[in-house]
Amino acid sequence: MSQEWNNLFQYLFLRKSASFAELPTYAACSVLNFIYRRVPPSPLKYPLSVKQAWHSLERFQPSSPFWSARAPLPSVVNGPARLRLASCCLDFNGTPDWNISFADVEDTFCLHRWNWLLTQSSAGTFPDRREWGLRLMRDWLYHMGALKKGPAWTTYTTGERICNAVLFLDLTASGQKIPDDITAAIEDMAFYLARRLEYNGRGATGNHVINNARALCFAAKVCAQPRLLALSEAILRHDLERIVDSAGFLREGSSHYHFLATRWLLETLWALEGVGNDALRAFIEQVARRMVE
């Protein structure tokens, strides 16, 4: 809020045509803008085309996933008893304490984004790697799946969790289908995310909506849910060329996020394989090519 008052001071006292008569209007607008940006993500903030796709999806809410009422699983995981996080590792005996928090919030986010599924895989294979991942995913869902609040359920973290789960399950598939309870959990997370897309109004909506679209596309691939894909497409068509300039660089000027956003698009192209939406693939590919270059 201090920044808003600083802006007010700059506007009223440092410009040549300062006018105290404008103070009430400018102050009211500043306060309303401050409040609007801090309202949790909501379909009320979506652009019209995205809102239309959301309303189509809203009419087809999934049934409650049956993992939410299941009994606790045995407390032993066959495989590594260490999860590699952003800046540290979490050692555990049996199964992790999913409610643990860390001094560095990025480690907390990493725990709930399931990044460890991929970092452990990149460290080398081991027997029953797929079952190890499934067992930990199910344990997390049992303890955290119904709560839906806190760092574990921010929009960005939920989207990352969907994508990391799908990538891990594809990496370890060996011809095996995704278990029904995990598919139901991914669909549940996707509908939760769809209600909380990271639209924050003009000038305050950044690249995270592209990551939201990526997660919806991944979930659509796994759950065979075309309305999730339609919402993903609406986001990408509305925002991709707004966020990426004609030269193929992220308008916000961050090389770090340029790398991440390029990865998001390439993975979205992978998720679209076999889906049949050639027009969307072509639209994403022409932007992704410029970003890679």
Side-chain angles (χ1 to χ4, degrees), residues 255-269:
S255 57
H256 171 71
Y257 266 105
H258 178 89
F259 179 85
L260 286 179
T262 303
R263 172 196 163 191
W264 297 341
L265 291 189
L266 295 177
E267 290 181 349
T268 301
L269 287 171

Side-chain angles (χ1 to χ4, degrees), residues 188-209:
D188 181 68
M189 288 187 276
F191 273 77
Y192 175 88
L193 184 150
R195 293 191 295 273
R196 293 162 177 82
L197 300 175
E198 294 177 84
Y199 283 105
N200 297 303
R202 183 175 298 178
T205 297
N207 59 66
H208 279 199
V209 292

Side-chain angles (χ1 to χ4, degrees), residues 3 150 155 164 173 183 224 227 232:
Q3 183 59 45
T155 302
N164 287 328
T183 299
R227 290 177 181 84
S232 175

Side-chain angles (χ1 to χ4, degrees), residues 25 29-30 55 85 90 96 104 138 155-156 181 238 257 261-262:
T25 300
C29 290
S30 295
H55 285 314
L85 305 179
L90 173 63
D104 186 342
R138 286 172 171 139
T155 302
Y156 190 89
D181 60 329
H238 183 272
Y257 266 105
T262 303

Side-chain angles (χ1 to χ4, degrees), residues 1-9 34 38:
M1 191 65 179
S2 60
Q3 183 59 45
E4 295 292 341
W5 288 113
N6 182 61
N7 292 342
L8 178 61
F9 176 82
F34 173 83
R38 282 150 186 82

Side-chain angles (χ1 to χ4, degrees), residues 84-89 102-112:
R84 180 178 165 192
L85 305 179
S87 67
C88 67
C89 291
F102 299 86
D104 186 342
V105 71
E106 290 301 324
D107 289 314
T108 304
F109 284 138
C110 193
L111 177 67
H112 298 300

Side-chain angles (χ1 to χ4, degrees), residues 113 115 118-119 156 159-168 170-171 210-222 229 232 236 240 258-275 280-281 284-285 287-289 291-292:
R113 290 172 184 172
N115 297 68
L118 300 182
T119 53
Y156 190 89
E160 285 289 286
R161 184 163 59 247
I162 291 170
C163 294
N164 287 328
V166 174
L167 289 169
F168 172 80
D170 183 78
L171 181 67
I210 303 304
N211 195 40
N212 299 165
R214 163 181 168 247
L216 292 169
C217 186
F218 272 53
K221 179 184 184 75
V222 168
L229 181 60
S232 175
L236 290 166
L240 186 54
H258 178 89
F259 179 85
L260 286 179
T262 303
R263 172 196 163 191
W264 297 341
L265 291 189
L266 295 177
E267 290 181 349
T268 301
L269 287 171
W270 165 79
L272 285 169
E273 290 179 4
V275 171
L280 179 58
R281 279 186 58 86
I284 297 172
E285 189 170 313
V287 178
R289 283 184 183 278
M291 293 184 76
V292 169

